[in-house]
Amino acid sequence: MLSDQLIALEHDVIMQTYKRIPVVVESTSGCRITDVNGVTYLDMLSGIAVNALGYSHPRILEAIAVQSHKYLHLSNLFYQEPQIRLAQSLTRRTGYSKVVYSNSGAESWDAAVKLARMHGHLHGKNGDIIGFTGGFHGRTYGALSTMDKPLYKEGMGPFLPSTAILPFNDAAALRDAVNEHTCAVGLEFIQGEGGIRSVSREFVGALMELRDRFGFVVIADEVQTGVGRTGDFFAYETFGITPDIVTMAKGIGGGLPLGAMLVSDALSTAWKQGQHGSTYGGNALACATGLVVMEELEHGLLDHVRSISAYLHASLGTLRASYPDYVLEIRGRGLMAGVVVNEESTPLRDALLARRVITSATASNVIRIVPPFIITEADVDECVHALRNAIEERIAVTSSSIAV
């Protein structure tokens, strides 16, 4: 079927909740996507930070083949070795006490809110939860209640009670808001949908000081930043702290739906059997591919992320120096970069797509770059070359508009 026909059919049968890229994918390999017309693109989005090992990684395909011949789904009424082995790998790598599986980052966040409130209840707290402007935790009610995205919330309230949303990176506002009733404070240490904005050391210092004083739970949303994307296994590690709960998903499944919540020892007995669960959470096939991701990170891939990300950020820095009036800032860390421009970023994203490079536009004026971990210097050069040409095109277009 021709791509135009498929796109028209999609409009007929699928509710239009996504603004899709006008590409119908036929096949993938490594860091490349090929459409049904035979056009190949460099993917610097990796399924929105999901495909850490790229596409069709041989070890991922092997793990899928082996596990699929054993079983795909059993339910969590049974003990399953892939679940147990992956949890063992995660706890050994991170130092957390227990793992709770889910299918997505939003589900992991909801689990964290529930667990934090249970822990607070056991310690006489009211269950107040604090989130921050620019944050994104998913589209469930627990996630929406702790973030401020009007588009995602309009007309769908009321949301969870006893929640507050404070200005991101505002330590003074945090000090004014928390008290003995505060149950949890949750945040992304680098906001993805929020425009690749990083939390400040001042804010993290204030957060941990207040946690020690008031005894609330700190929830780190590492759904997009985790599993090595920033050059550390988790983004919070660079601050030398340990949150009480960590939510994760995206990169851990190697392309399959998998989420997890990591829990400190102090919270590991807050739930009784039956108080939380998920039919598909910790699916054996996804856990088998998750083990591959963990093994690859331990066998040199994380070192590659650090070296190639240094090359990426240096290359983007050169680009900013060339066009300082258009490229306002380069944000992020590791293989999570944001190119901040002086106009709405969608036209630049589209200009990149026309040059066969896939990125995303977020937070109004930011191009988000979150490529597979296996990218090479040649891939970075190709991306930056396309960016340079696309920027020059956008400058020419805006200059013409001003002149008219």
Side-chain angles (χ1 to χ4, degrees), residues 92-362:
R92 282 179 175 174
R93 174 62 182 80
T94 66
Y96 282 89
S97 177
K98 295 290 189 292
V99 175
V100 178
Y101 287 117
S102 69
N103 308 284
S104 66
E107 290 170 85
S108 293
W109 184 261
D110 273 16
V113 169
K114 287 173 60 179
L115 182 61
R117 281 189 160 167
M118 173 60 81
H119 178 73
H121 171 74
L122 295 173
H123 291 80
K125 292 181 175 290
N126 290 349
D128 295 353
I129 306 280
I130 292 174
F132 298 96
T133 57
F136 180 79
H137 309 296
R139 291 178 174 85
T140 58
Y141 269 92
L144 291 171
S145 299
T146 49
M147 53 191 248
D148 70 334
K149 301 283 188 180
L151 175 64
Y152 304 155
K153 300 176 70 170
E154 184 178 354
M156 290 180 277
F159 297 97
L160 296 184
S162 301
T163 55
I165 300 163
L166 304 181
F168 185 61
N169 264 340
D170 191 331
L174 182 65
R175 289 191 178 95
D176 288 341
V178 300
N179 54 45
E180 65 275 7
H181 298 301
T182 304
C183 169
V185 176
L187 73 160
E188 299 162 274
F189 283 76
I190 303 176
Q191 293 184 336
E193 292 285 323
I196 320 297
R197 293 196 302 161
S198 299
V199 72
S200 68
R201 290 194 174 274
E202 176 195 3
F203 185 86
V204 172
L207 174 65
M208 303 311 288
E209 171 195 329
L210 291 165
R211 181 188 73 167
D212 293 343
R213 179 179 171 189
F214 291 106
F216 56 76
V217 167
V218 172
I219 306 170
D221 182 334
E222 294 275 357
V223 170
Q224 190 164 155
T225 52
V227 199
R229 179 153 295 280
T230 67
D232 295 309
F233 191 78
F234 286 132
Y236 72 75
E237 292 177 26
T238 191
F239 298 98
I241 64 163
T242 303
D244 303 283
I245 300 173
V246 179
T247 63
M248 58 189 302
K250 289 191 180 286
I252 187 58
L256 294 183
L258 180 64
M261 175 178 68
L262 307 185
V263 181
S264 69
D265 189 61
L267 280 75
S268 64
T269 58
W271 276 336
K272 300 174 184 176
Q273 287 185 357
Q275 289 192 303
H276 188 73
S278 169
T279 297
Y280 288 104
N283 171 267
L285 194 66
C287 286
T289 58
L291 272 168
V292 172
V293 173
M294 292 296 292
E295 290 167 2
E296 289 293 310
L297 287 171
E298 291 168 4
H299 296 151
L301 184 59
L302 193 55
D303 292 332
H304 174 70
V305 169
R306 291 169 181 146
S307 62
I308 196 65
S309 62
Y311 186 76
L312 170 66
H313 283 270
S315 300
L316 293 175
T318 300
L319 198 65
R320 180 174 185 266
S322 299
Y323 308 99
D325 293 332
Y326 184 83
V327 181
L328 305 180
E329 185 182 357
I330 303 299
R331 294 176 181 166
R333 182 154 45 94
L335 290 179
M336 186 175 185
V339 180
V340 185
V341 298
N342 71 356
E343 65 167 344
E344 208 278 329
S345 53
T346 300
L348 181 60
R349 179 207 63 189
D350 294 344
L352 284 167
L353 186 66
R355 289 162 174 79
R356 302 182 182 181
V357 174
I358 297 171
T359 60
S360 75
T362 190

Side-chain angles (χ1 to χ4, degrees), residues 13-33:
V13 298
I14 296 179
M15 192 169 181
Q16 295 299 291
T17 59
Y18 295 100
K19 187 175 182 180
R20 300 186 194 272
I21 298 170
V23 172
V24 179
V25 178
E26 175 68 20
S27 62
T28 60
S29 179
C31 299
R32 307 280 163 168
I33 287 175

